[in-house]
Amino acid sequence: MNAAANPLRPAFLALLLGTATIVVPAQAETIEVTIDRLVYAPAEIEAKVGDEIEWINKDALVHTATMKGGTEVLVPAKKSGRLLMREPGSFDYICRYHPNMEGHITVRP
């Protein structure tokens, strides 16, 4: 059957174009966590896969954001460090040098 000769084709295309929706993926964000006086603020954050977490260290001490399983971000004094969230999950983290500093990240798909 010749598709160009099909009288229903224009109506079908018009229906598809009229009801088509464009899906635009959500933009990745950078979520800031401040480290000040040995505290992560906010201590609990939510992110999406593809978002970046940036820890901004205002202390005069070196800190880390160390997650169970080995992922670690070194955050030098008065500097920042970043981590791209590549998978969904729930992650607790601490500072390797100051284990009383605790934070939590929930990453959604």
Side-chain angles (χ1 to χ4, degrees), residues 31-42 53-65 73-82 93 95-98 101:
I31 300 166
E32 295 181 354
V33 175
T34 301
I35 303 171
D36 191 14
R37 298 179 187 161
L38 302 172
V39 174
Y40 298 113
I53 311 299
E54 180 178 25
W55 287 270
I56 302 166
N57 186 358
K58 294 186 173 184
D59 285 345
L61 305 168
V62 175
H63 294 293
T64 67
V73 176
L74 182 66
V75 190
K78 306 289 184 184
K79 302 228 181 211
S80 63
R82 290 176 169 238
Y93 66 94
C95 173
R96 179 166 38 116
Y97 305 116
H98 312 97
M101 295 173 60

PDB file of all heavy atoms in Angstrom, residues 31-42 53-65 73-82 93 95-98 101:
ATOM      1  N   ILE A  31      23.841  22.621  44.256  1.00  0.00           N
ATOM      2  CA  ILE A  31      23.296  22.805  45.603  1.00  0.00           C
ATOM      3  C   ILE A  31      24.461  23.108  46.542  1.00  0.00           C
ATOM      4  O   ILE A  31      25.422  22.331  46.614  1.00  0.00           O
ATOM      5  CB  ILE A  31      22.532  21.544  46.054  1.00  0.00           C
ATOM      6  CG1 ILE A  31      21.377  21.291  45.075  1.00  0.00           C
ATOM      7  CG2 ILE A  31      22.042  21.690  47.487  1.00  0.00           C
ATOM      8  CD1 ILE A  31      20.752  19.941  45.195  1.00  0.00           C
ATOM      9  N   GLU A  32      24.384  24.229  47.214  1.00  0.00           N
ATOM     10  CA  GLU A  32      25.476  24.658  48.086  1.00  0.00           C
ATOM     11  C   GLU A  32      25.265  24.213  49.526  1.00  0.00           C
ATOM     12  O   GLU A  32      24.161  24.328  50.062  1.00  0.00           O
ATOM     13  CB  GLU A  32      25.608  26.178  48.050  1.00  0.00           C
ATOM     14  CG  GLU A  32      26.019  26.715  46.694  1.00  0.00           C
ATOM     15  CD  GLU A  32      26.167  28.223  46.677  1.00  0.00           C
ATOM     16  OE1 GLU A  32      25.843  28.885  47.688  1.00  0.00           O
ATOM     17  OE2 GLU A  32      26.614  28.743  45.655  1.00  0.00           O
ATOM     18  N   VAL A  33      26.339  23.724  50.103  1.00  0.00           N
ATOM     19  CA  VAL A  33      26.360  23.387  51.526  1.00  0.00           C
ATOM     20  C   VAL A  33      27.518  24.176  52.125  1.00  0.00           C
ATOM     21  O   VAL A  33      28.654  24.040  51.680  1.00  0.00           O
ATOM     22  CB  VAL A  33      26.568  21.879  51.756  1.00  0.00           C
ATOM     23  CG1 VAL A  33      26.697  21.581  53.244  1.00  0.00           C
ATOM     24  CG2 VAL A  33      25.446  21.071  51.119  1.00  0.00           C
ATOM     25  N   THR A  34      27.226  25.000  53.097  1.00  0.00           N
ATOM     26  CA  THR A  34      28.257  25.800  53.748  1.00  0.00           C
ATOM     27  C   THR A  34      28.824  25.036  54.937  1.00  0.00           C
ATOM     28  O   THR A  34      28.082  24.403  55.682  1.00  0.00           O
ATOM     29  CB  THR A  34      27.659  27.140  54.232  1.00  0.00           C
ATOM     30  OG1 THR A  34      27.130  27.830  53.101  1.00  0.00           O
ATOM     31  CG2 THR A  34      28.702  28.001  54.906  1.00  0.00           C
ATOM     32  N   ILE A  35      30.127  25.110  55.064  1.00  0.00           N
ATOM     33  CA  ILE A  35      30.788  24.548  56.247  1.00  0.00           C
ATOM     34  C   ILE A  35      31.285  25.740  57.056  1.00  0.00           C
ATOM     35  O   ILE A  35      32.110  26.524  56.584  1.00  0.00           O
ATOM     36  CB  ILE A  35      31.973  23.638  55.872  1.00  0.00           C
ATOM     37  CG1 ILE A  35      31.507  22.511  54.950  1.00  0.00           C
ATOM     38  CG2 ILE A  35      32.642  23.104  57.133  1.00  0.00           C
ATOM     39  CD1 ILE A  35      32.655  21.698  54.357  1.00  0.00           C
ATOM     40  N   ASP A  36      30.748  25.884  58.241  1.00  0.00           N
ATOM     41  CA  ASP A  36      31.121  27.014  59.086  1.00  0.00           C
ATOM     42  C   ASP A  36      31.121  26.559  60.544  1.00  0.00           C
ATOM     43  O   ASP A  36      30.106  26.016  61.015  1.00  0.00           O
ATOM     44  CB  ASP A  36      30.114  28.159  58.885  1.00  0.00           C
ATOM     45  CG  ASP A  36      30.579  29.459  59.507  1.00  0.00           C
ATOM     46  OD1 ASP A  36      31.770  29.584  59.869  1.00  0.00           O
ATOM     47  OD2 ASP A  36      29.734  30.363  59.624  1.00  0.00           O
ATOM     48  N   ARG A  37      32.229  26.756  61.207  1.00  0.00           N
ATOM     49  CA  ARG A  37      32.380  26.373  62.618  1.00  0.00           C
ATOM     50  C   ARG A  37      32.057  24.893  62.846  1.00  0.00           C
ATOM     51  O   ARG A  37      31.260  24.543  63.710  1.00  0.00           O
ATOM     52  CB  ARG A  37      31.517  27.257  63.516  1.00  0.00           C
ATOM     53  CG  ARG A  37      31.914  28.700  63.437  1.00  0.00           C
ATOM     54  CD  ARG A  37      31.067  29.566  64.294  1.00  0.00           C
ATOM     55  NE  ARG A  37      31.412  30.952  64.031  1.00  0.00           N
ATOM     56  CZ  ARG A  37      30.655  31.971  64.331  1.00  0.00           C
ATOM     57  NH1 ARG A  37      29.493  31.796  64.902  1.00  0.00           N
ATOM     58  NH2 ARG A  37      31.050  33.184  64.058  1.00  0.00           N
ATOM     59  N   LEU A  38      32.609  24.062  61.965  1.00  0.00           N
ATOM     60  CA  LEU A  38      32.509  22.603  62.093  1.00  0.00           C
ATOM     61  C   LEU A  38      31.076  22.084  61.929  1.00  0.00           C
ATOM     62  O   LEU A  38      30.706  21.052  62.515  1.00  0.00           O
ATOM     63  CB  LEU A  38      33.097  22.125  63.429  1.00  0.00           C
ATOM     64  CG  LEU A  38      34.558  22.501  63.687  1.00  0.00           C
ATOM     65  CD1 LEU A  38      34.956  22.145  65.112  1.00  0.00           C
ATOM     66  CD2 LEU A  38      35.473  21.799  62.698  1.00  0.00           C
ATOM     67  N   VAL A  39      30.288  22.775  61.110  1.00  0.00           N
ATOM     68  CA  VAL A  39      28.905  22.345  60.872  1.00  0.00           C
ATOM     69  C   VAL A  39      28.595  22.471  59.384  1.00  0.00           C
ATOM     70  O   VAL A  39      28.937  23.482  58.756  1.00  0.00           O
ATOM     71  CB  VAL A  39      27.912  23.224  61.686  1.00  0.00           C
ATOM     72  CG1 VAL A  39      26.461  22.885  61.327  1.00  0.00           C
ATOM     73  CG2 VAL A  39      28.142  23.060  63.177  1.00  0.00           C
ATOM     74  N   TYR A  40      27.944  21.421  58.820  1.00  0.00           N
ATOM     75  CA  TYR A  40      27.418  21.506  57.457  1.00  0.00           C
ATOM     76  C   TYR A  40      26.055  22.181  57.529  1.00  0.00           C
ATOM     77  O   TYR A  40      25.206  21.788  58.338  1.00  0.00           O
ATOM     78  CB  TYR A  40      27.204  20.112  56.853  1.00  0.00           C
ATOM     79  CG  TYR A  40      28.431  19.265  56.715  1.00  0.00           C
ATOM     80  CD1 TYR A  40      28.583  18.117  57.477  1.00  0.00           C
ATOM     81  CD2 TYR A  40      29.407  19.569  55.779  1.00  0.00           C
ATOM     82  CE1 TYR A  40      29.679  17.290  57.335  1.00  0.00           C
ATOM     83  CE2 TYR A  40      30.523  18.755  55.630  1.00  0.00           C
ATOM     84  CZ  TYR A  40      30.651  17.622  56.414  1.00  0.00           C
ATOM     85  OH  TYR A  40      31.753  16.803  56.272  1.00  0.00           O
ATOM     86  N   ALA A  41      25.815  23.150  56.690  1.00  0.00           N
ATOM     87  CA  ALA A  41      24.507  23.821  56.676  1.00  0.00           C
ATOM     88  C   ALA A  41      24.056  24.043  55.226  1.00  0.00           C
ATOM     89  O   ALA A  41      24.786  24.688  54.469  1.00  0.00           O
ATOM     90  CB  ALA A  41      24.575  25.155  57.423  1.00  0.00           C
ATOM     91  N   PRO A  42      22.928  23.503  54.833  1.00  0.00           N
ATOM     92  CA  PRO A  42      22.079  22.614  55.621  1.00  0.00           C
ATOM     93  C   PRO A  42      22.707  21.239  55.756  1.00  0.00           C
ATOM     94  O   PRO A  42      23.460  20.803  54.889  1.00  0.00           O
ATOM     95  CB  PRO A  42      20.778  22.555  54.818  1.00  0.00           C
ATOM     96  CG  PRO A  42      21.192  22.818  53.402  1.00  0.00           C
ATOM     97  CD  PRO A  42      22.368  23.757  53.488  1.00  0.00           C
ATOM     98  N   ILE A  53      26.756  18.918  44.076  1.00  0.00           N
ATOM     99  CA  ILE A  53      26.790  19.460  45.438  1.00  0.00           C
ATOM    100  C   ILE A  53      28.101  20.218  45.581  1.00  0.00           C
ATOM    101  O   ILE A  53      29.166  19.700  45.228  1.00  0.00           O
ATOM    102  CB  ILE A  53      26.730  18.343  46.508  1.00  0.00           C
ATOM    103  CG1 ILE A  53      25.594  17.349  46.219  1.00  0.00           C
ATOM    104  CG2 ILE A  53      26.609  18.947  47.898  1.00  0.00           C
ATOM    105  CD1 ILE A  53      24.222  17.927  46.202  1.00  0.00           C
ATOM    106  N   GLU A  54      28.021  21.434  46.074  1.00  0.00           N
ATOM    107  CA  GLU A  54      29.225  22.226  46.315  1.00  0.00           C
ATOM    108  C   GLU A  54      29.311  22.551  47.800  1.00  0.00           C
ATOM    109  O   GLU A  54      28.404  23.181  48.348  1.00  0.00           O
ATOM    110  CB  GLU A  54      29.214  23.525  45.511  1.00  0.00           C
ATOM    111  CG  GLU A  54      30.465  24.363  45.756  1.00  0.00           C
ATOM    112  CD  GLU A  54      30.505  25.636  44.936  1.00  0.00           C
ATOM    113  OE1 GLU A  54      29.432  26.137  44.554  1.00  0.00           O
ATOM    114  OE2 GLU A  54      31.608  26.123  44.685  1.00  0.00           O
ATOM    115  N   TRP A  55      30.379  22.075  48.419  1.00  0.00           N
ATOM    116  CA  TRP A  55      30.639  22.391  49.814  1.00  0.00           C
ATOM    117  C   TRP A  55      31.547  23.612  49.845  1.00  0.00           C
ATOM    118  O   TRP A  55      32.628  23.605  49.224  1.00  0.00           O
ATOM    119  CB  TRP A  55      31.309  21.217  50.528  1.00  0.00           C
ATOM    120  CG  TRP A  55      30.374  20.087  50.799  1.00  0.00           C
ATOM    121  CD1 TRP A  55      29.605  19.896  51.921  1.00  0.00           C
ATOM    122  CD2 TRP A  55      30.106  18.961  49.954  1.00  0.00           C
ATOM    123  NE1 TRP A  55      28.880  18.735  51.803  1.00  0.00           N
ATOM    124  CE2 TRP A  55      29.166  18.141  50.608  1.00  0.00           C
ATOM    125  CE3 TRP A  55      30.563  18.566  48.692  1.00  0.00           C
ATOM    126  CZ2 TRP A  55      28.686  16.972  50.060  1.00  0.00           C
ATOM    127  CZ3 TRP A  55      30.078  17.397  48.144  1.00  0.00           C
ATOM    128  CH2 TRP A  55      29.153  16.613  48.827  1.00  0.00           C
ATOM    129  N   ILE A  56      31.129  24.645  50.537  1.00  0.00           N
ATOM    130  CA  ILE A  56      31.889  25.894  50.645  1.00  0.00           C
ATOM    131  C   ILE A  56      32.416  25.995  52.071  1.00  0.00           C
ATOM    132  O   ILE A  56      31.638  26.131  53.021  1.00  0.00           O
ATOM    133  CB  ILE A  56      30.999  27.100  50.293  1.00  0.00           C
ATOM    134  CG1 ILE A  56      30.450  26.929  48.874  1.00  0.00           C
ATOM    135  CG2 ILE A  56      31.783  28.398  50.443  1.00  0.00           C
ATOM    136  CD1 ILE A  56      29.322  27.864  48.534  1.00  0.00           C
ATOM    137  N   ASN A  57      33.725  25.890  52.188  1.00  0.00           N
ATOM    138  CA  ASN A  57      34.350  25.849  53.504  1.00  0.00           C
ATOM    139  C   ASN A  57      34.735  27.260  53.957  1.00  0.00           C
ATOM    140  O   ASN A  57      35.636  27.875  53.391  1.00  0.00           O
ATOM    141  CB  ASN A  57      35.590  24.945  53.451  1.00  0.00           C
ATOM    142  CG  ASN A  57      36.203  24.729  54.810  1.00  0.00           C
ATOM    143  OD1 ASN A  57      35.735  25.270  55.809  1.00  0.00           O
ATOM    144  ND2 ASN A  57      37.260  23.935  54.840  1.00  0.00           N
ATOM    145  N   LYS A  58      34.080  27.742  54.994  1.00  0.00           N
ATOM    146  CA  LYS A  58      34.410  29.060  55.556  1.00  0.00           C
ATOM    147  C   LYS A  58      35.358  28.951  56.741  1.00  0.00           C
ATOM    148  O   LYS A  58      35.788  29.963  57.282  1.00  0.00           O
ATOM    149  CB  LYS A  58      33.120  29.776  55.974  1.00  0.00           C
ATOM    150  CG  LYS A  58      32.240  30.117  54.792  1.00  0.00           C
ATOM    151  CD  LYS A  58      31.060  30.949  55.185  1.00  0.00           C
ATOM    152  CE  LYS A  58      30.322  31.396  53.933  1.00  0.00           C
ATOM    153  NZ  LYS A  58      29.215  32.290  54.240  1.00  0.00           N
ATOM    154  N   ASP A  59      35.635  27.711  57.143  1.00  0.00           N
ATOM    155  CA  ASP A  59      36.530  27.493  58.276  1.00  0.00           C
ATOM    156  C   ASP A  59      37.997  27.627  57.855  1.00  0.00           C
ATOM    157  O   ASP A  59      38.322  27.531  56.671  1.00  0.00           O
ATOM    158  CB  ASP A  59      36.321  26.093  58.868  1.00  0.00           C
ATOM    159  CG  ASP A  59      35.041  25.975  59.680  1.00  0.00           C
ATOM    160  OD1 ASP A  59      34.453  27.025  60.022  1.00  0.00           O
ATOM    161  OD2 ASP A  59      34.627  24.839  59.949  1.00  0.00           O
ATOM    162  N   ALA A  60      38.865  27.784  58.839  1.00  0.00           N
ATOM    163  CA  ALA A  60      40.307  27.830  58.595  1.00  0.00           C
ATOM    164  C   ALA A  60      40.917  26.433  58.672  1.00  0.00           C
ATOM    165  O   ALA A  60      42.136  26.284  58.709  1.00  0.00           O
ATOM    166  CB  ALA A  60      40.963  28.754  59.612  1.00  0.00           C
ATOM    167  N   LEU A  61      40.067  25.411  58.693  1.00  0.00           N
ATOM    168  CA  LEU A  61      40.503  24.010  58.766  1.00  0.00           C
ATOM    169  C   LEU A  61      40.113  23.283  57.486  1.00  0.00           C
ATOM    170  O   LEU A  61      39.124  23.629  56.844  1.00  0.00           O
ATOM    171  CB  LEU A  61      39.818  23.304  59.945  1.00  0.00           C
ATOM    172  CG  LEU A  61      39.985  23.948  61.323  1.00  0.00           C
ATOM    173  CD1 LEU A  61      39.020  23.308  62.322  1.00  0.00           C
ATOM    174  CD2 LEU A  61      41.419  23.786  61.792  1.00  0.00           C
ATOM    175  N   VAL A  62      40.885  22.251  57.149  1.00  0.00           N
ATOM    176  CA  VAL A  62      40.524  21.389  56.014  1.00  0.00           C
ATOM    177  C   VAL A  62      39.409  20.455  56.467  1.00  0.00           C
ATOM    178  O   VAL A  62      39.424  19.939  57.587  1.00  0.00           O
ATOM    179  CB  VAL A  62      41.748  20.553  55.559  1.00  0.00           C
ATOM    180  CG1 VAL A  62      41.345  19.577  54.467  1.00  0.00           C
ATOM    181  CG2 VAL A  62      42.854  21.464  55.083  1.00  0.00           C
ATOM    182  N   HIS A  63      38.422  20.252  55.590  1.00  0.00           N
ATOM    183  CA  HIS A  63      37.340  19.314  55.870  1.00  0.00           C
ATOM    184  C   HIS A  63      37.181  18.384  54.671  1.00  0.00           C
ATOM    185  O   HIS A  63      37.744  18.618  53.598  1.00  0.00           O
ATOM    186  CB  HIS A  63      36.012  20.055  56.104  1.00  0.00           C
ATOM    187  CG  HIS A  63      35.997  20.891  57.332  1.00  0.00           C
ATOM    188  ND1 HIS A  63      36.056  20.366  58.597  1.00  0.00           N
ATOM    189  CD2 HIS A  63      35.938  22.247  57.493  1.00  0.00           C
ATOM    190  CE1 HIS A  63      36.021  21.341  59.488  1.00  0.00           C
ATOM    191  NE2 HIS A  63      35.960  22.514  58.843  1.00  0.00           N
ATOM    192  N   THR A  64      36.363  17.357  54.881  1.00  0.00           N
ATOM    193  CA  THR A  64      35.967  16.474  53.778  1.00  0.00           C
ATOM    194  C   THR A  64      34.469  16.240  53.864  1.00  0.00           C
ATOM    195  O   THR A  64      33.838  16.480  54.896  1.00  0.00           O
ATOM    196  CB  THR A  64      36.661  15.093  53.852  1.00  0.00           C
ATOM    197  OG1 THR A  64      36.171  14.388  54.996  1.00  0.00           O
ATOM    198  CG2 THR A  64      38.170  15.227  53.894  1.00  0.00           C
ATOM    199  N   ALA A  65      33.923  15.769  52.759  1.00  0.00           N
ATOM    200  CA  ALA A  65      32.588  15.179  52.750  1.00  0.00           C
ATOM    201  C   ALA A  65      32.837  13.734  52.345  1.00  0.00           C
ATOM    202  O   ALA A  65      33.070  13.442  51.178  1.00  0.00           O
ATOM    203  CB  ALA A  65      31.678  15.892  51.770  1.00  0.00           C
ATOM    204  N   VAL A  73      35.131  14.050  49.102  1.00  0.00           N
ATOM    205  CA  VAL A  73      35.441  15.354  48.525  1.00  0.00           C
ATOM    206  C   VAL A  73      36.294  16.098  49.544  1.00  0.00           C
ATOM    207  O   VAL A  73      35.874  16.289  50.687  1.00  0.00           O
ATOM    208  CB  VAL A  73      34.158  16.155  48.215  1.00  0.00           C
ATOM    209  CG1 VAL A  73      34.502  17.539  47.701  1.00  0.00           C
ATOM    210  CG2 VAL A  73      33.287  15.398  47.226  1.00  0.00           C
ATOM    211  N   LEU A  74      37.485  16.491  49.128  1.00  0.00           N
ATOM    212  CA  LEU A  74      38.360  17.276  49.991  1.00  0.00           C
ATOM    213  C   LEU A  74      37.974  18.740  49.848  1.00  0.00           C
ATOM    214  O   LEU A  74      37.852  19.250  48.728  1.00  0.00           O
ATOM    215  CB  LEU A  74      39.822  17.060  49.592  1.00  0.00           C
ATOM    216  CG  LEU A  74      40.858  17.780  50.434  1.00  0.00           C
ATOM    217  CD1 LEU A  74      40.867  17.226  51.860  1.00  0.00           C
ATOM    218  CD2 LEU A  74      42.230  17.643  49.805  1.00  0.00           C
ATOM    219  N   VAL A  75      37.792  19.408  50.979  1.00  0.00           N
ATOM    220  CA  VAL A  75      37.390  20.811  50.960  1.00  0.00           C
ATOM    221  C   VAL A  75      38.427  21.609  51.745  1.00  0.00           C
ATOM    222  O   VAL A  75      38.350  21.715  52.974  1.00  0.00           O
ATOM    223  CB  VAL A  75      35.974  20.998  51.561  1.00  0.00           C
ATOM    224  CG1 VAL A  75      35.481  22.411  51.297  1.00  0.00           C
ATOM    225  CG2 VAL A  75      34.989  19.971  51.008  1.00  0.00           C
ATOM    226  N   PRO A  76      39.420  22.159  51.031  1.00  0.00           N
ATOM    227  CA  PRO A  76      40.469  22.918  51.720  1.00  0.00           C
ATOM    228  C   PRO A  76      39.905  24.128  52.467  1.00  0.00           C
ATOM    229  O   PRO A  76      38.817  24.625  52.159  1.00  0.00           O
ATOM    230  CB  PRO A  76      41.382  23.369  50.570  1.00  0.00           C
ATOM    231  CG  PRO A  76      41.059  22.473  49.422  1.00  0.00           C
ATOM    232  CD  PRO A  76      39.625  22.099  49.581  1.00  0.00           C
ATOM    233  N   ALA A  77      40.681  24.626  53.417  1.00  0.00           N
ATOM    234  CA  ALA A  77      40.278  25.800  54.189  1.00  0.00           C
ATOM    235  C   ALA A  77      40.004  26.971  53.258  1.00  0.00           C
ATOM    236  O   ALA A  77      40.771  27.233  52.324  1.00  0.00           O
ATOM    237  CB  ALA A  77      41.371  26.162  55.190  1.00  0.00           C
ATOM    238  N   LYS A  78      38.878  27.624  53.484  1.00  0.00           N
ATOM    239  CA  LYS A  78      38.476  28.822  52.726  1.00  0.00           C
ATOM    240  C   LYS A  78      38.299  28.562  51.222  1.00  0.00           C
ATOM    241  O   LYS A  78      38.374  29.479  50.418  1.00  0.00           O
ATOM    242  CB  LYS A  78      39.475  29.959  52.924  1.00  0.00           C
ATOM    243  CG  LYS A  78      39.749  30.320  54.360  1.00  0.00           C
ATOM    244  CD  LYS A  78      38.577  30.991  55.003  1.00  0.00           C
ATOM    245  CE  LYS A  78      38.884  31.449  56.424  1.00  0.00           C
ATOM    246  NZ  LYS A  78      37.730  32.006  57.080  1.00  0.00           N
ATOM    247  N   LYS A  79      38.053  27.314  50.871  1.00  0.00           N
ATOM    248  CA  LYS A  79      37.850  26.945  49.459  1.00  0.00           C
ATOM    249  C   LYS A  79      36.589  26.098  49.357  1.00  0.00           C
ATOM    250  O   LYS A  79      35.858  25.936  50.332  1.00  0.00           O
ATOM    251  CB  LYS A  79      39.054  26.181  48.928  1.00  0.00           C
ATOM    252  CG  LYS A  79      40.339  26.976  49.048  1.00  0.00           C
ATOM    253  CD  LYS A  79      41.097  26.964  47.805  1.00  0.00           C
ATOM    254  CE  LYS A  79      42.369  27.778  48.045  1.00  0.00           C
ATOM    255  NZ  LYS A  79      42.825  28.420  46.924  1.00  0.00           N
ATOM    256  N   SER A  80      36.362  25.526  48.175  1.00  0.00           N
ATOM    257  CA  SER A  80      35.173  24.697  47.990  1.00  0.00           C
ATOM    258  C   SER A  80      35.535  23.405  47.267  1.00  0.00           C
ATOM    259  O   SER A  80      36.611  23.281  46.679  1.00  0.00           O
ATOM    260  CB  SER A  80      34.100  25.464  47.212  1.00  0.00           C
ATOM    261  OG  SER A  80      34.559  25.772  45.918  1.00  0.00           O
ATOM    262  N   GLY A  81      34.626  22.459  47.327  1.00  0.00           N
ATOM    263  CA  GLY A  81      34.771  21.186  46.622  1.00  0.00           C
ATOM    264  C   GLY A  81      33.416  20.766  46.088  1.00  0.00           C
ATOM    265  O   GLY A  81      32.376  21.130  46.656  1.00  0.00           O
ATOM    266  N   ARG A  82      33.422  20.008  44.974  1.00  0.00           N
ATOM    267  CA  ARG A  82      32.165  19.643  44.310  1.00  0.00           C
ATOM    268  C   ARG A  82      32.088  18.144  44.070  1.00  0.00           C
ATOM    269  O   ARG A  82      33.107  17.481  43.913  1.00  0.00           O
ATOM    270  CB  ARG A  82      32.062  20.336  42.954  1.00  0.00           C
ATOM    271  CG  ARG A  82      31.847  21.817  43.056  1.00  0.00           C
ATOM    272  CD  ARG A  82      31.845  22.430  41.663  1.00  0.00           C
ATOM    273  NE  ARG A  82      31.392  23.799  41.729  1.00  0.00           N
ATOM    274  CZ  ARG A  82      30.348  24.275  41.075  1.00  0.00           C
ATOM    275  NH1 ARG A  82      29.673  23.490  40.262  1.00  0.00           N
ATOM    276  NH2 ARG A  82      29.971  25.524  41.200  1.00  0.00           N
ATOM    277  N   TYR A  93      27.105  11.305  55.197  1.00  0.00           N
ATOM    278  CA  TYR A  93      28.520  11.644  55.070  1.00  0.00           C
ATOM    279  C   TYR A  93      29.008  12.359  56.320  1.00  0.00           C
ATOM    280  O   TYR A  93      28.208  12.912  57.094  1.00  0.00           O
ATOM    281  CB  TYR A  93      28.798  12.471  53.808  1.00  0.00           C
ATOM    282  CG  TYR A  93      28.179  13.843  53.782  1.00  0.00           C
ATOM    283  CD1 TYR A  93      28.899  14.956  54.210  1.00  0.00           C
ATOM    284  CD2 TYR A  93      26.895  14.043  53.314  1.00  0.00           C
ATOM    285  CE1 TYR A  93      28.361  16.224  54.163  1.00  0.00           C
ATOM    286  CE2 TYR A  93      26.334  15.312  53.272  1.00  0.00           C
ATOM    287  CZ  TYR A  93      27.078  16.403  53.694  1.00  0.00           C
ATOM    288  OH  TYR A  93      26.525  17.651  53.657  1.00  0.00           O
ATOM    289  N   CYS A  95      32.820  14.420  58.028  1.00  0.00           N
ATOM    290  CA  CYS A  95      34.161  14.931  57.763  1.00  0.00           C
ATOM    291  C   CYS A  95      35.145  13.905  58.338  1.00  0.00           C
ATOM    292  O   CYS A  95      35.034  13.516  59.501  1.00  0.00           O
ATOM    293  CB  CYS A  95      34.373  16.300  58.427  1.00  0.00           C
ATOM    294  SG  CYS A  95      36.085  16.874  58.290  1.00  0.00           S
ATOM    295  N   ARG A  96      36.058  13.453  57.508  1.00  0.00           N
ATOM    296  CA  ARG A  96      37.034  12.452  57.947  1.00  0.00           C
ATOM    297  C   ARG A  96      37.880  12.967  59.121  1.00  0.00           C
ATOM    298  O   ARG A  96      38.255  12.221  60.008  1.00  0.00           O
ATOM    299  CB  ARG A  96      37.940  12.075  56.779  1.00  0.00           C
ATOM    300  CG  ARG A  96      38.986  11.065  57.150  1.00  0.00           C
ATOM    301  CD  ARG A  96      39.678  10.421  55.959  1.00  0.00           C
ATOM    302  NE  ARG A  96      39.947  11.297  54.838  1.00  0.00           N
ATOM    303  CZ  ARG A  96      41.165  11.603  54.408  1.00  0.00           C
ATOM    304  NH1 ARG A  96      42.218  11.116  55.020  1.00  0.00           N
ATOM    305  NH2 ARG A  96      41.346  12.372  53.365  1.00  0.00           N
ATOM    306  N   TYR A  97      38.171  14.260  59.130  1.00  0.00           N
ATOM    307  CA  TYR A  97      39.008  14.832  60.186  1.00  0.00           C
ATOM    308  C   TYR A  97      38.210  15.219  61.430  1.00  0.00           C
ATOM    309  O   TYR A  97      38.773  15.355  62.512  1.00  0.00           O
ATOM    310  CB  TYR A  97      39.748  16.064  59.666  1.00  0.00           C
ATOM    311  CG  TYR A  97      40.555  15.778  58.421  1.00  0.00           C
ATOM    312  CD1 TYR A  97      40.253  16.399  57.217  1.00  0.00           C
ATOM    313  CD2 TYR A  97      41.607  14.861  58.446  1.00  0.00           C
ATOM    314  CE1 TYR A  97      40.982  16.141  56.070  1.00  0.00           C
ATOM    315  CE2 TYR A  97      42.335  14.586  57.310  1.00  0.00           C
ATOM    316  CZ  TYR A  97      42.021  15.230  56.117  1.00  0.00           C
ATOM    317  OH  TYR A  97      42.742  14.955  54.982  1.00  0.00           O
ATOM    318  N   HIS A  98      36.919  15.459  61.254  1.00  0.00           N
ATOM    319  CA  HIS A  98      36.062  15.883  62.366  1.00  0.00           C
ATOM    320  C   HIS A  98      34.768  15.068  62.294  1.00  0.00           C
ATOM    321  O   HIS A  98      33.743  15.551  61.799  1.00  0.00           O
ATOM    322  CB  HIS A  98      35.756  17.386  62.270  1.00  0.00           C
ATOM    323  CG  HIS A  98      36.990  18.205  62.027  1.00  0.00           C
ATOM    324  ND1 HIS A  98      37.372  18.628  60.762  1.00  0.00           N
ATOM    325  CD2 HIS A  98      37.947  18.631  62.883  1.00  0.00           C
ATOM    326  CE1 HIS A  98      38.506  19.302  60.849  1.00  0.00           C
ATOM    327  NE2 HIS A  98      38.876  19.326  62.113  1.00  0.00           N
ATOM    328  N   MET A 101      31.021  16.006  62.547  1.00  0.00           N
ATOM    329  CA  MET A 101      30.310  16.740  61.489  1.00  0.00           C
ATOM    330  C   MET A 101      29.586  15.705  60.625  1.00  0.00           C
ATOM    331  O   MET A 101      30.209  14.803  60.067  1.00  0.00           O
ATOM    332  CB  MET A 101      31.296  17.527  60.614  1.00  0.00           C
ATOM    333  CG  MET A 101      32.014  18.634  61.335  1.00  0.00           C
ATOM    334  SD  MET A 101      33.318  19.394  60.324  1.00  0.00           S
ATOM    335  CE  MET A 101      32.394  20.006  58.929  1.00  0.00           C
TER     336      MET A 101
END
